[in-house]
C-alpha cells in the first residue's frame, strides 16, 4: 500500500530519476536514510522497475514516428508467439500492444525516414505468415510527450 509520501517520492523520481537520497529527503521532509529506504522498498516491490535515459529521436536521426496496426489473418498461440518473437527482433518497434477492436496489434515505431518505414512494413511485417493487413499512421507532431504515471 502506498502512502502520500510514497506518491510524492514516485512523482519526484519520475521527473528526475537522478535525485539522491539527500535531495529526496529534502523534498519529502525526511532524512536521507528514510528517503533511501523508501526508494529501496519501492524498487524491491517492483513498483519502481528501473531507470532509463529519455533520448531525443530526431537528434538520433529517427525522423519518422508512426503507429502501425497489424491485423492477423490466422490466429492461434503458435502464430501469436511467432509474431511476438518477430517484434522482439526489431529495434525500430519500440512498443507493442495487443488490442481489442479491429486490429490485433498496435505497434509504435521510430524509423530514420519513410523508406525505412516502408521496408519495415513490406519486408518484415507483411511477409509474416499470420499477418493479413497492416495500416500505418505517421505522427506529424507529438502534442504531449510520454509523461509520468499518475501517483
Amino acid at each position: 500500500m502506498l502512502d502520500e509520501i510514497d506518491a510524492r517520492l514516485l512523482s519526484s523520481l519520475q521527473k528526475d530519476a537522478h535525485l539522491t537520497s539527500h535531495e529526496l529527503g529534502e523534498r519529502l521532509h525526511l532524512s536521507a536514510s528514510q528517503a533511501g529506504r523508501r526508494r529501496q522498498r519501492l524498487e524491491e516491490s517492483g513498483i519502481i522497475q528501473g531507470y532509463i535515459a529519455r533520448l531525443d529521436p530526431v537528434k538520433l536521426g529517427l525522423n519518422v514516428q508512426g503507429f502501425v496496426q497489424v491485423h492477423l489473418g490466422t490466429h492461434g498461440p503458435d502464430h501469436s508467439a511467432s509474431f511476438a518473437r518477430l517484434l522482439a527482433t526489431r529495434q525500430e518497434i519500440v512498443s507493442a500492444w495487443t488490442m481489442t477492436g479491429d486490429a490485433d496489434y498496435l505497434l509504435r515505431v521510430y524509423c530514420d525516414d519513410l523508406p525505412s518505414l516502408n521496408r519495415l512494413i513490406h519486408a518484415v511485417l507483411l511477409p509474416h505468415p499470420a499477418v493479413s493487413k497492416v495500416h500505418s499512421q505517421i505522427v506529424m507532431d507529438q502534442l504531449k510527450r510520454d509523461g509520468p504515471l499518475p501517483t
Side-chain angles (χ1 to χ4, degrees):
M1 195 73 190
L2 298 178
D3 63 17
E4 186 265 332
I5 294 173
D6 288 334
R8 289 188 7 237
L9 183 146
L10 292 171
S11 179
S12 294
L13 286 176
Q14 285 188 94
K15 292 175 186 153
D16 183 358
H18 289 292
L19 291 173
T20 65
S21 293
H22 178 76
E23 292 167 325
L24 274 173
E26 285 181 352
R27 289 182 186 208
L28 303 172
H29 307 292
L30 299 173
S31 69
S33 62
Q34 289 173 313
R37 283 193 300 273
R38 279 181 177 264
R39 181 195 329 226
Q40 183 177 12
R41 178 178 49 79
L42 293 167
E43 291 169 349
E44 290 171 354
S45 71
I47 292 172
I48 297 175
Q49 296 179 340
Y51 301 91
I52 61 169
R54 189 180 303 210
L55 307 178
D56 183 329
V58 173
K59 289 183 180 177
L60 294 171
L62 301 169
N63 297 303
V64 175
Q65 178 183 184
F67 290 93
V68 179
Q69 295 177 13
V70 178
H71 305 260
L72 299 185
T74 306
H75 292 83
D78 292 340
H79 287 102
S80 294
S82 172
F83 189 69
R85 284 191 300 276
L86 171 68
L87 298 179
T89 68
R90 305 303 303 199
Q91 72 177 42
E92 64 265 65
I93 301 171
V94 297
S95 51
W97 300 270
T98 58
M99 305 294 291
T100 62
D102 190 38
D104 295 296
Y105 295 90
L106 178 64
L107 314 178
R108 183 178 185 187
V109 302
Y110 283 92
C111 296
D112 295 341
D113 49 29
L114 289 175
S116 298
L117 176 61
N118 188 51
R119 279 190 300 278
L120 174 66
I121 291 170
H122 291 282
V124 177
L125 298 174
L126 283 171
H128 189 279
V131 173
S132 68
K133 183 171 77 170
V134 170
H135 177 80
S136 63
Q137 297 171 303
I138 296 169
V139 173
M140 295 176 61
D141 191 16
Q142 187 169 350
L143 302 178
K144 183 177 179 181
R145 298 287 169 206
D146 297 337
L149 294 176
T151 55

